[in-house]
Amino acid sequence: MVYDWNAATHADEAEGEGEPERRAFTRPELEAFFDHADEEVLRVRGKGRKGWLPAFRDAALFKAAYAYGLRRNETRLLDLTDFGRNPEGREFGEYGTLLVRYGKAKKGSPPKRRSILTVWHWTPRTIEEWVNEVRPGMRHSTSRALWPSERGPRVGVQRLDSRFAAYRDAVGLDPVLEFHSLRRSYITHLIEDGHDPLFVQQQVSHDHASTTAIYTCVSSDFRTRSLRRVLDATIEAALRPGRSS
């Protein structure tokens, strides 16, 4: 049943998220984007410039946004204390969960909090390297912010947008890709990897499964493989001994 109260909430939640021109990264595009971010760190550091610290921060930040399906503001407002252990995911150590304290709020409501489980094994090493080896060299490392800037305790929105666009354009990627495409990619790739849609919905804190579906931009190869599995299962069932016609 659809009423004014739940229809309005759903519309607000999906606002701007189902625009047809917006999409996720393909896996090769995402790999190229992250590779370029890593190469930028090496390039700047190779010249003996201290600017490699914020370059490393930006690369780690983009990877974290993808690794947890975060929105831009959720990412920049993270604190060092927002990570924790997951008893069912001991292999992730201190980075088994992430608490998002400033999630997207509904109109007239406070920020929506959620806890996200770490799903990829490369994620803890990325965060740990930043926190323990690189971040201490930042000028504002005494702040509680996970991503301090060169000039203040927390990196700003303009920096995130400009750096994202610079990396995207340097690789020659589609200009429709934006910071939010990292979140779309997270959802899409989890679905492609076989995670339960309800689990994905809860990870990204969507109230409605249809909103998660709007985000999902599975590749044609994934759709082909999915169809092939269904067809093969149907043929196998039909040929199974003892099946009555």
Side-chain angles (χ1 to χ4, degrees):
M1 299 289 290
V2 179
Y3 300 97
D4 289 341
W5 60 269
N6 63 13
T9 300
H10 192 188
D12 178 65
E13 182 184 78
E15 183 179 358
E17 298 176 345
E19 299 174 18
E21 70 275 14
R22 305 303 180 189
R23 65 174 179 84
F25 284 84
T26 65
R27 292 180 191 259
E29 286 176 334
L30 190 65
E31 182 177 0
F33 182 86
F34 286 154
D35 283 348
H36 177 76
D38 291 338
E39 290 164 3
E40 185 67 9
V41 177
L42 297 176
R43 184 187 70 79
V44 178
R45 190 172 190 178
K47 293 184 177 181
R49 297 177 181 175
K50 198 173 182 179
W52 75 271
L53 295 173
F56 193 106
R57 177 205 58 211
D58 295 342
L61 183 152
F62 291 141
K63 292 174 185 176
Y66 166 69
Y68 292 102
L70 302 174
R71 300 178 177 90
R72 183 181 57 186
N73 216 41
E74 292 174 346
T75 307
R76 60 177 293 273
L77 293 178
L78 291 176
D79 286 345
L80 290 168
T81 56
D82 289 336
F83 290 98
R85 289 181 172 272
N86 176 6
E88 302 301 325
R90 298 178 185 275
E91 61 268 43
F92 298 123
E94 300 293 332
Y95 301 98
T97 64
L98 175 65
L99 174 64
V100 174
R101 292 172 294 106
Y102 295 98
K104 184 178 179 181
K106 295 182 176 66
K107 293 180 180 179
S109 300
K112 189 175 182 181
R113 297 163 65 97
R114 74 179 184 277
S115 180
I116 308 172
L117 302 181
T118 303
V119 294
W120 288 309
H121 288 84
W122 55 264
T123 305
R125 177 54 187 160
T126 298
I127 304 299
E128 186 176 40
E129 186 176 9
W130 160 248
V131 171
N132 295 332
E133 301 177 24
V134 182
R135 186 184 177 282
M138 294 289 289
R139 179 180 177 185
H140 294 277
S141 62
T142 56
S143 76
R144 67 181 186 180
L146 180 61
W147 316 109
S149 75
E150 305 92 300
R151 299 180 180 180
R154 202 176 295 276
V155 68
V157 170
Q158 185 176 2
R159 167 73 187 202
L160 296 186
D161 287 344
S162 63
R163 188 52 50 190
F164 181 93
Y167 288 0
R168 177 198 64 203
D169 296 344
V171 182
L173 298 178
D174 191 337
V176 304
L177 293 170
E178 57 182 353
F179 192 101
H180 209 70
S181 296
L182 296 170
R183 178 171 164 87
R184 294 187 181 93
S185 303
Y186 172 80
I187 295 171
T188 296
H189 296 164
L190 285 184
I191 294 296
E192 288 188 340
D193 288 346
H195 288 274
D196 187 279
L198 179 58
F199 169 78
V200 178
Q201 179 185 342
Q202 293 173 340
Q203 285 281 92
V204 296
S205 191
H206 282 159
D207 291 336
H208 304 271
S210 56
T211 307
T212 307
I214 289 172
Y215 263 73
T216 307
C217 312
V218 295
S219 66
S220 58
D221 179 61
F222 172 79
R223 293 195 298 270
T224 300
R225 286 186 281 110
S226 297
L227 175 61
R228 186 69 266 164
R229 283 198 299 269
V230 173
L231 294 176
D232 288 346
T234 302
I235 293 172
E236 181 182 355
L239 298 179
R240 188 174 300 136
R243 180 181 181 274
S244 59
S245 56

